[in-house]
Amino acid sequence: MMKAVRFHGQKDIRLENIEIPKCGKGQVKVKPAYVGICGTDLHEYEKGANIIPTTPHPITKEKVPLTLGHEFSGIIEEVGDDVTDVKIGQRVSVQPIIYDGTCGACRDGLINCCDNNGFIGLSGWGGGLSEHVVVPRSAIYEIPDSVSMELGALVEPLSVAWHSIDISPFKKGDAVLVLGGGPIGLAVIQCLRARGAEKIIASEVSPGRREFAKRLGAHYTLDPTTNDVVARVRELCGGVGADVAFDAAGVQVGLDQALKAIRAQGTLVNIAVWNKPAQLQMNDLVFREKKYVGVTTFVQGDFRQVLDAIASGALKPGPMITGKIQMDEIVEKGFKPLVEEKDKHVKILVEVSPC
């Protein structure tokens, strides 16, 4: 038996003993080291199962209760008989997307848009918040020697940011507006800085998170409750507005501001998962030929690029880690502080088997 953090329902997270998974063909068994607590985990905890399936998932066939943890690093401890290109003892980050490989999106290489997609640590197949987890070989990315296991647990959220920039028309030297200073907004700021953004403007209500945004690479920070975001962005961008904006906040007032703050033919990229329907002022798009683009998670290769960027020093995400806890502390020292003390925390890591 092994210990695992399991989601049972709204504000019902339990540390339980469950069976150790067996490693089969095409699979790798990993001993998790560090696991990040994600905003999705917090939403499921606070509001109840939304992404986590309450009826059998179409691929995993699993439903609540499920093991949590989809942002994690670990050590390979066993490989399937047909897996020959990785070995026991390697340090790895786990790319958690579950996909069917047969739908139209998957055939086009868009595993993040799979008709039946899910996530290890949310939809079944175990999760990082356990002493052992078995994942497909395709989910494994080796961590370079110069990258710590703690930083290896940050690759997942950083890959979300990296992919959103790839989807956008961003080019080196552009001026960019980022809405939201939570973990994903801060990840976008870091990735933009690493990729040559000339001017990064962050809009965030929380004073603490504005400080994190400055520390992690924003050139300017705005408080949207006291600043005229549209006027200030235009002023900072020579009167024309930002080239690209990224919405990691998902609130109507921010959406309205961003559409007006980008230049003619500018692009607003939505990363946020919205809790309620939003409205688009279509004439703001039409009369100035602006674009609104949705983006979700990441595709094959994004993990490798992020790991390489960390190894080269282009990405330095260490300041995102604001706490480390044990599995048996996850609610009191993990979930609750992230919900109640947002000014103080970005990413709390759970030490499962620290290496």
Side-chain angles (χ1 to χ4, degrees):
M1 301 291 284
M2 68 173 185
K3 287 183 171 59
V5 174
R6 308 268 284 172
F7 175 91
H8 283 259
Q10 185 178 17
K11 295 189 176 179
D12 187 0
I13 307 291
R14 307 177 196 176
L15 181 60
E16 300 178 322
N17 288 311
I18 63 172
E19 294 288 335
I20 297 174
K22 295 180 180 178
C23 186
K25 286 187 176 181
Q27 295 180 319
V28 175
K29 182 188 281 188
V30 174
K31 187 174 184 62
Y34 291 93
V35 186
I37 301 174
C38 174
T40 302
D41 299 325
L42 296 177
H43 187 273
E44 302 292 291
Y45 170 75
E46 283 282 290
K47 304 297 184 182
N50 177 34
I51 293 176
I52 293 175
T54 55
T55 58
H57 186 273
I59 298 176
T60 69
K61 310 304 181 187
E62 297 179 52
K63 63 178 183 177
V64 291
L66 291 173
T67 301
L68 293 175
H70 64 276
E71 303 179 355
F72 65 102
S73 61
I75 300 284
I76 294 177
E77 54 183 356
E78 186 179 345
V79 299
D81 291 339
D82 57 341
V83 176
T84 59
D85 58 340
V86 295
K87 59 186 179 181
I88 293 170
Q90 282 184 319
R91 304 179 319 130
V92 297
S93 287
V94 177
Q95 192 262 68
I97 293 179
I98 294 170
Y99 56 97
D100 60 29
T102 60
C103 71
C106 285
R107 292 198 302 271
D108 287 340
L110 303 174
I111 61 170
N112 56 328
C113 299
C114 175
D115 292 346
N116 296 304
N117 80 339
F119 285 83
I120 297 164
L122 285 171
S123 312
W125 291 358
L129 286 168
S130 61
E131 293 177 312
H132 310 276
V133 61
V134 170
V135 302
R137 163 61 188 93
S138 59
I140 294 296
Y141 286 82
E142 185 177 4
I143 298 174
D145 291 341
S146 61
V147 177
S148 70
M149 294 291 271
E150 292 95 328
L151 296 185
L154 300 181
V155 173
E156 198 272 356
L158 288 165
S159 293
V160 172
W162 196 271
H163 179 65
S164 72
I165 297 169
D166 281 344
I167 290 293
S168 81
F170 169 82
K171 60 185 183 299
K172 186 176 180 179
D174 276 352
V176 184
L177 170 64
V178 178
L179 302 180
I184 296 300
L186 295 174
V188 171
I189 289 168
Q190 293 174 78
C191 292
L192 285 168
R193 194 68 182 254
R195 295 172 68 161
E198 185 175 88
K199 196 172 293 177
I200 303 169
I201 307 163
S203 176
E204 166 58 46
V205 172
S206 161
R209 289 194 164 180
R210 287 198 300 275
E211 286 302 313
F212 278 117
K214 288 180 184 177
R215 185 177 178 187
L216 290 166
H219 301 95
Y220 304 93
T221 60
L222 305 178
D223 179 352
T225 66
T226 59
N227 293 121
D228 183 332
V229 172
V230 176
R232 184 67 176 133
V233 170
R234 287 180 178 170
E235 178 187 351
L236 291 170
C237 299
V240 297
D243 298 290
V244 185
F246 294 87
D247 186 356
V251 294
Q252 185 67 52
V253 65
L255 170 59
D256 295 340
Q257 290 170 341
L259 279 177
K260 292 182 182 298
I262 55 176
R263 66 189 303 150
Q265 294 194 340
T267 300
L268 172 56
V269 179
N270 181 79
I271 314 169
V273 176
W274 289 69
N275 293 323
K276 55 186 177 181
Q279 292 184 334
L280 275 178
Q281 302 303 317
M282 294 306 297
N283 286 345
D284 286 343
L285 295 176
V286 172
F287 291 121
R288 301 199 72 207
E289 296 187 345
K290 298 177 180 181
K291 304 173 187 68
Y292 185 64
V293 179
V295 62
T296 184
T297 61
F298 33 77
V299 295
Q300 298 283 21
D302 289 328
F303 264 50
R304 182 78 274 143
Q305 291 184 59
V306 167
L307 281 163
D308 289 346
I310 297 173
S312 72
L315 275 176
K316 299 177 181 179
M320 289 181 72
I321 301 170
T322 52
K324 296 179 187 178
I325 62 173
Q326 305 303 307
M327 280 203 291
D328 60 0
E329 301 173 317
I330 192 160
V331 173
E332 293 302 320
K333 294 186 178 181
F335 282 79
K336 287 185 177 180
L338 287 169
V339 170
E340 298 168 2
E341 302 173 0
K342 293 181 180 179
D343 255 17
K344 297 180 181 179
H345 291 289
V346 179
K347 189 63 65 175
I348 292 177
L349 297 186
V350 182
E351 299 177 318
V352 180
S353 301
C355 302

